[in-house]
Amino acid sequence: HYFIQSNLRIMGNEHAKLSPEELRELEDSTYFDKRELQKWFREFMKDCPSGSLSKDDFIRIYQQFFPQGNPSQFASHVFKVFDSNSDGCISFKEFIVALSVTSKGTLDEKLDWAFSLYDLDGDGFISNSEMLNIVNSIYEMVGNMLILPKDEDTPQKRVKKIFFQMDHDKDGRLTRQEFKEGSKMDPFIVQALSIDYDHSKIDPKKS
């Protein structure tokens, strides 16, 4: 699993708190309880005192975990999914909603989230070129950390194999249903896209 684990430290800014209204809204829209939400908010505000996480800091988080590769492109794609209002930064609400899905969501919810990651133009389908874009960024990120079988040792081979397995109507693109059904049968897809955050290793301030 390409797990990105989080360590937004609880230091300083310990008085930052969500309002009762914000808490109720986030309890309704995530799998976190009040205590967890307040804890994550303090941690987030400590490392992101402006109240938002920039794309550059987000990419730096990935660089800590994949020093042998180049995670910039993959991190940029993930950032786009987190940044649900497309304003160029991740607010606490965007962060915690995405975190809820990736760490506590059902498999179906995680696969819906993954579909959003692959569907780069948001047209409701994953094209061959979109799949290649993401798979290439994963291969660049992991570098030589993985030993791959011969039929998967390049992004092009991997994408060809994925489409052969998933594209049932052979129209050259994957529907959400084809993607989700195929991903449940393909460990690579589930592992590569379940980006789980817990309380251990992310610190945007590290270089």
Side-chain angles (χ1 to χ4, degrees):
H1 288 49
Y2 306 138
F3 292 147
I4 306 300
Q5 302 180 321
S6 184
N7 178 29
L8 290 162
R9 300 161 300 170
I10 306 179
M11 295 168 60
N13 208 359
E14 292 175 1
H15 301 294
K17 276 193 171 183
L18 293 162
S19 70
E21 294 77 18
E22 289 169 326
L23 269 177
R24 276 194 295 272
E25 180 187 353
L26 291 175
E27 271 193 297
D28 288 342
S29 56
T30 72
Y31 290 111
F32 295 109
D33 61 27
K34 285 190 180 76
R35 186 171 180 174
E36 290 171 317
L37 288 166
Q38 291 287 21
K39 180 181 180 183
W40 272 110
F41 185 66
R42 288 194 302 270
E43 295 170 342
F44 188 88
M45 292 304 294
K46 163 58 191 169
D47 281 320
C48 309
S50 67
S52 62
L53 180 60
S54 73
K55 186 175 181 179
D56 286 345
D57 277 340
F58 196 77
I59 290 172
R60 276 195 285 273
I61 289 166
Y62 276 76
Q63 288 169 337
Q64 293 174 46
F65 288 91
F66 301 98
Q68 305 303 316
N70 178 9
S72 298
Q73 196 63 42
F74 185 75
S76 294
H77 292 316
V78 176
F79 182 90
K80 184 179 174 184
V81 184
F82 269 70
D83 181 19
S84 58
N85 68 355
S86 302
D87 68 350
C89 58
I90 298 172
S91 66
F92 176 71
K93 180 179 178 181
E94 288 172 327
F95 175 80
I96 204 70
V97 167
L99 176 64
S100 175
V101 172
T102 58
S103 65
K104 295 192 172 193
T106 64
L107 179 57
D108 269 350
E109 287 172 328
K110 288 181 179 181
L111 290 175
D112 276 325
W113 191 90
F115 185 87
S116 299
L117 178 63
Y118 269 130
D119 181 16
L120 297 175
D121 63 6
D123 69 350
F125 299 94
I126 299 171
S127 68
N128 193 286
S129 62
E130 286 174 324
M131 177 71 74
L132 183 58
N133 194 318
I134 295 290
V135 172
N136 188 61
S137 71
I138 293 172
Y139 277 45
E140 285 185 0
M141 176 173 68
V142 300
N144 57 5
M145 290 168 61
L146 288 180
I147 298 173
L148 297 164
K150 191 161 181 61
D151 64 345
E152 298 179 11
D153 62 6
T154 70
Q156 289 80 6
K157 288 181 183 178
R158 189 68 183 95
V159 170
K160 183 177 180 180
K161 187 174 180 179
I162 289 170
F163 267 77
F164 179 77
Q165 293 170 337
M166 294 188 188
D167 186 17
H168 298 307
D169 58 8
K170 305 304 177 190
D171 65 349
R173 61 184 188 175
L174 301 179
T175 64
R176 184 182 295 268
Q177 185 177 355
E178 284 176 329
F179 175 79
K180 290 175 70 174
E181 287 177 359
S183 296
K184 290 172 183 177
M185 302 293 109
D186 188 335
F188 173 90
I189 298 291
V190 179
Q191 291 167 5
L193 297 177
S194 295
I195 312 296
D196 285 356
Y197 293 75
D198 62 23
H199 293 67
S200 53
K201 289 186 180 174
I202 284 187
D203 180 355
K205 295 295 184 289
K206 287 183 182 176
S207 57

mmCIF file of all heavy atoms in Angstrom, residues 87-103:
data_model
loop_
_atom_site.group_PDB
_atom_site.id
_atom_site.type_symbol
_atom_site.label_atom_id
_atom_site.label_comp_id
_atom_site.label_asym_id
_atom_site.label_seq_id
_atom_site.Cartn_x
_atom_site.Cartn_y
_atom_site.Cartn_z
ATOM 1 N N ASP A 87 -9.819 25.920 -5.455
ATOM 2 C CA ASP A 87 -9.308 27.277 -5.212
ATOM 3 C C ASP A 87 -7.796 27.308 -5.027
ATOM 4 O O ASP A 87 -7.218 28.347 -4.708
ATOM 5 C CB ASP A 87 -9.999 27.914 -4.005
ATOM 6 C CG ASP A 87 -9.645 27.241 -2.677
ATOM 7 O OD1 ASP A 87 -9.014 26.148 -2.714
ATOM 8 O OD2 ASP A 87 -10.008 27.790 -1.623
ATOM 9 N N GLY A 88 -7.128 26.155 -5.222
ATOM 10 C CA GLY A 88 -5.676 26.136 -5.172
ATOM 11 C C GLY A 88 -5.073 25.845 -3.815
ATOM 12 O O GLY A 88 -3.857 25.843 -3.658
ATOM 13 N N CYS A 89 -5.913 25.588 -2.809
ATOM 14 C CA CYS A 89 -5.404 25.199 -1.493
ATOM 15 C C CYS A 89 -6.421 24.277 -0.827
ATOM 16 O O CYS A 89 -7.580 24.204 -1.234
ATOM 17 C CB CYS A 89 -5.101 26.410 -0.618
ATOM 18 S SG CYS A 89 -6.512 27.486 -0.338
ATOM 19 N N ILE A 90 -5.964 23.556 0.192
ATOM 20 C CA ILE A 90 -6.824 22.613 0.897
ATOM 21 C C ILE A 90 -7.204 23.199 2.254
ATOM 22 O O ILE A 90 -6.332 23.440 3.099
ATOM 23 C CB ILE A 90 -6.115 21.258 1.090
ATOM 24 C CG1 ILE A 90 -5.797 20.621 -0.267
ATOM 25 C CG2 ILE A 90 -6.975 20.307 1.921
ATOM 26 C CD1 ILE A 90 -4.921 19.378 -0.164
ATOM 27 N N SER A 91 -8.481 23.446 2.448
ATOM 28 C CA SER A 91 -8.972 23.927 3.736
ATOM 29 C C SER A 91 -9.075 22.759 4.709
ATOM 30 O O SER A 91 -8.977 21.586 4.306
ATOM 31 C CB SER A 91 -10.360 24.551 3.571
ATOM 32 O OG SER A 91 -11.300 23.543 3.206
ATOM 33 N N PHE A 92 -9.304 23.069 5.990
ATOM 34 C CA PHE A 92 -9.447 21.982 6.956
ATOM 35 C C PHE A 92 -10.636 21.097 6.601
ATOM 36 O O PHE A 92 -10.549 19.863 6.670
ATOM 37 C CB PHE A 92 -9.619 22.507 8.382
ATOM 38 C CG PHE A 92 -9.866 21.391 9.369
ATOM 39 C CD1 PHE A 92 -8.847 20.515 9.711
ATOM 40 C CD2 PHE A 92 -11.130 21.190 9.907
ATOM 41 C CE1 PHE A 92 -9.073 19.454 10.587
ATOM 42 C CE2 PHE A 92 -11.360 20.134 10.787
ATOM 43 C CZ PHE A 92 -10.340 19.269 11.132
ATOM 44 N N LYS A 93 -11.738 21.709 6.204
ATOM 45 C CA LYS A 93 -12.922 20.916 5.857
ATOM 46 C C LYS A 93 -12.616 19.972 4.698
ATOM 47 O O LYS A 93 -12.972 18.787 4.734
ATOM 48 C CB LYS A 93 -14.095 21.831 5.486
ATOM 49 C CG LYS A 93 -15.356 21.060 5.124
ATOM 50 C CD LYS A 93 -16.511 21.980 4.791
ATOM 51 C CE LYS A 93 -17.747 21.173 4.396
ATOM 52 N NZ LYS A 93 -18.900 22.041 4.043
ATOM 53 N N GLU A 94 -11.950 20.468 3.658
ATOM 54 C CA GLU A 94 -11.597 19.615 2.522
ATOM 55 C C GLU A 94 -10.669 18.488 2.961
ATOM 56 O O GLU A 94 -10.817 17.341 2.544
ATOM 57 C CB GLU A 94 -10.927 20.450 1.426
ATOM 58 C CG GLU A 94 -11.893 21.370 0.693
ATOM 59 C CD GLU A 94 -11.182 22.330 -0.246
ATOM 60 O OE1 GLU A 94 -10.044 22.749 0.054
ATOM 61 O OE2 GLU A 94 -11.777 22.683 -1.277
ATOM 62 N N PHE A 95 -9.695 18.823 3.810
ATOM 63 C CA PHE A 95 -8.739 17.836 4.303
ATOM 64 C C PHE A 95 -9.442 16.735 5.084
ATOM 65 O O PHE A 95 -9.228 15.541 4.827
ATOM 66 C CB PHE A 95 -7.699 18.532 5.195
ATOM 67 C CG PHE A 95 -6.735 17.584 5.856
ATOM 68 C CD1 PHE A 95 -5.652 17.071 5.160
ATOM 69 C CD2 PHE A 95 -6.911 17.214 7.177
ATOM 70 C CE1 PHE A 95 -4.758 16.197 5.770
ATOM 71 C CE2 PHE A 95 -6.024 16.338 7.800
ATOM 72 C CZ PHE A 95 -4.950 15.833 7.098
ATOM 73 N N ILE A 96 -10.306 17.111 6.018
ATOM 74 C CA ILE A 96 -10.904 16.126 6.914
ATOM 75 C C ILE A 96 -11.957 15.284 6.200
ATOM 76 O O ILE A 96 -12.129 14.099 6.504
ATOM 77 C CB ILE A 96 -11.487 16.814 8.184
ATOM 78 C CG1 ILE A 96 -11.563 15.817 9.350
ATOM 79 C CG2 ILE A 96 -12.829 17.453 7.922
ATOM 80 C CD1 ILE A 96 -10.233 15.404 9.919
ATOM 81 N N VAL A 97 -12.646 15.863 5.227
ATOM 82 C CA VAL A 97 -13.630 15.092 4.450
ATOM 83 C C VAL A 97 -12.918 14.030 3.602
ATOM 84 O O VAL A 97 -13.330 12.864 3.557
ATOM 85 C CB VAL A 97 -14.490 16.020 3.570
ATOM 86 C CG1 VAL A 97 -15.284 15.217 2.549
ATOM 87 C CG2 VAL A 97 -15.444 16.845 4.434
ATOM 88 N N ALA A 98 -11.819 14.426 2.938
ATOM 89 C CA ALA A 98 -11.049 13.458 2.152
ATOM 90 C C ALA A 98 -10.402 12.414 3.058
ATOM 91 O O ALA A 98 -10.380 11.218 2.740
ATOM 92 C CB ALA A 98 -9.978 14.184 1.325
ATOM 93 N N LEU A 99 -9.873 12.858 4.195
ATOM 94 C CA LEU A 99 -9.253 11.947 5.154
ATOM 95 C C LEU A 99 -10.251 10.906 5.652
ATOM 96 O O LEU A 99 -9.922 9.732 5.804
ATOM 97 C CB LEU A 99 -8.700 12.745 6.330
ATOM 98 C CG LEU A 99 -8.085 11.968 7.488
ATOM 99 C CD1 LEU A 99 -6.856 11.217 7.009
ATOM 100 C CD2 LEU A 99 -7.726 12.913 8.625
ATOM 101 N N SER A 100 -11.480 11.336 5.871
ATOM 102 C CA SER A 100 -12.517 10.427 6.342
ATOM 103 C C SER A 100 -12.748 9.301 5.348
ATOM 104 O O SER A 100 -12.837 8.125 5.716
ATOM 105 C CB SER A 100 -13.822 11.203 6.570
ATOM 106 O OG SER A 100 -14.875 10.332 6.925
ATOM 107 N N VAL A 101 -12.815 9.648 4.063
ATOM 108 C CA VAL A 101 -13.036 8.637 3.025
ATOM 109 C C VAL A 101 -11.831 7.711 2.908
ATOM 110 O O VAL A 101 -11.967 6.485 2.902
ATOM 111 C CB VAL A 101 -13.313 9.298 1.657
ATOM 112 C CG1 VAL A 101 -13.347 8.236 0.557
ATOM 113 C CG2 VAL A 101 -14.623 10.066 1.693
ATOM 114 N N THR A 102 -10.623 8.302 2.836
ATOM 115 C CA THR A 102 -9.435 7.490 2.566
ATOM 116 C C THR A 102 -9.017 6.650 3.762
ATOM 117 O O THR A 102 -8.380 5.600 3.589
ATOM 118 C CB THR A 102 -8.245 8.367 2.123
ATOM 119 O OG1 THR A 102 -7.947 9.330 3.138
ATOM 120 C CG2 THR A 102 -8.573 9.090 0.827
ATOM 121 N N SER A 103 -9.365 7.049 4.972
ATOM 122 C CA SER A 103 -8.929 6.284 6.142
ATOM 123 C C SER A 103 -10.043 5.450 6.768
ATOM 124 O O SER A 103 -9.773 4.405 7.355
ATOM 125 C CB SER A 103 -8.342 7.215 7.213
ATOM 126 O OG SER A 103 -9.343 8.090 7.715
#
